[in-house]
């Protein structure tokens, strides 16, 4: 966004979704602890519901999530966007899930989270209509 309007020169999509994170965590925990976590287990740990998991597993998952968030913010910076000096808007279920970890990151300035689970779809619809209109 520039001056409150979409700036198509800075519109991009990264291959850094939570599914990638889930797969990495599942593989690592299976290898390291011989435990078969599911995405729901990872979500529970991320949300702080850790009472059913070994402390070492909880620590490993939280460390991997924090590393994922750090890598994500680094990838954004590599694209020329400084999340410390720009107002960052996080949209969608993955962003809401990772909110606690994103807010702990030292690479983030002013920001907000849009919790509407349809926000990504609405944004892509707007982007499609803008490209069709030649904007």
């Amino acid at each position: 966004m520039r001056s409150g309007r979409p700036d198509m020169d800075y519109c991009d999509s990264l291959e850094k979704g939570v599914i990638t994170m889930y797969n990495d965590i599942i593989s690592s925990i299976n290898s390291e602890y011989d435990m078969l976590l599911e995405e729901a287990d990872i979500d529970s740990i991320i949300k702080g519901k850790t009472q059913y998991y070994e402390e070492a597993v909880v620590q490993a998952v939280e460390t991997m999530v924090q590393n994922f968030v750090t890598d994500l913010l680094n990838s954004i910076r590599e694209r020329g966007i400084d999340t410390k000096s720009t107002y960052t808007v996080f949209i969608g279920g993955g962003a809401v899930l990772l909110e606690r970890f994103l807010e702990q990151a030292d690479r983030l300035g002013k920001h907000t989270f849009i919790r509407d689970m349809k926000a990504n779809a609405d944004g892509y619809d707007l982007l499609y209509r803008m490209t069709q209109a030649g904007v």
Side-chain angles (χ1 to χ4, degrees), residues 3-133:
S3 303
R5 301 190 50 81
D7 184 345
M8 300 312 292
D9 292 335
Y10 289 96
C11 184
D12 199 358
S13 183
L14 302 174
E15 297 295 325
K16 297 273 186 184
V18 292
I19 291 174
T20 303
M21 180 191 72
Y22 286 144
N23 291 339
D24 290 346
I25 291 172
I26 288 167
S27 176
S28 179
I29 295 298
N30 183 27
S31 173
E32 190 74 24
Y33 298 96
D34 193 28
M35 180 182 279
L36 296 175
L37 289 183
E38 296 178 357
E39 291 177 6
D41 295 312
I42 297 167
D43 288 349
S44 291
I45 292 170
I46 289 172
K47 293 174 182 176
K49 299 174 185 173
T50 61
Q51 65 270 29
Y52 301 110
Y53 308 97
E54 296 174 28
E55 182 61 29
V57 171
V58 170
Q59 289 296 324
V61 169
E62 289 183 344
T63 297
M64 286 184 272
V65 172
Q66 192 62 58
N67 289 342
F68 175 83
V69 166
T70 299
D71 289 345
L72 173 66
L73 294 174
N74 285 343
S75 293
I76 293 169
R77 184 175 174 85
E78 287 171 8
R79 293 194 184 310
I81 300 168
D82 183 358
T83 55
K84 282 185 175 181
S85 65
T86 59
Y87 191 84
T88 307
V89 179
F90 294 99
I91 300 171
V96 172
L97 177 68
L98 299 176
E99 181 173 358
R100 175 170 60 107
F101 293 88
L102 285 161
E103 289 187 331
Q104 291 173 359
D106 63 353
R107 293 168 174 81
L108 193 58
K110 291 188 178 190
H111 61 278
T112 192
F113 289 85
I114 301 200
R115 289 173 176 77
D116 178 358
M117 293 302 173
K118 297 184 337 176
N120 275 326
D122 291 343
Y124 278 111
D125 180 55
L126 175 62
L127 177 61
Y128 173 75
R129 285 187 279 129
M130 287 177 64
T131 56
Q132 292 301 306

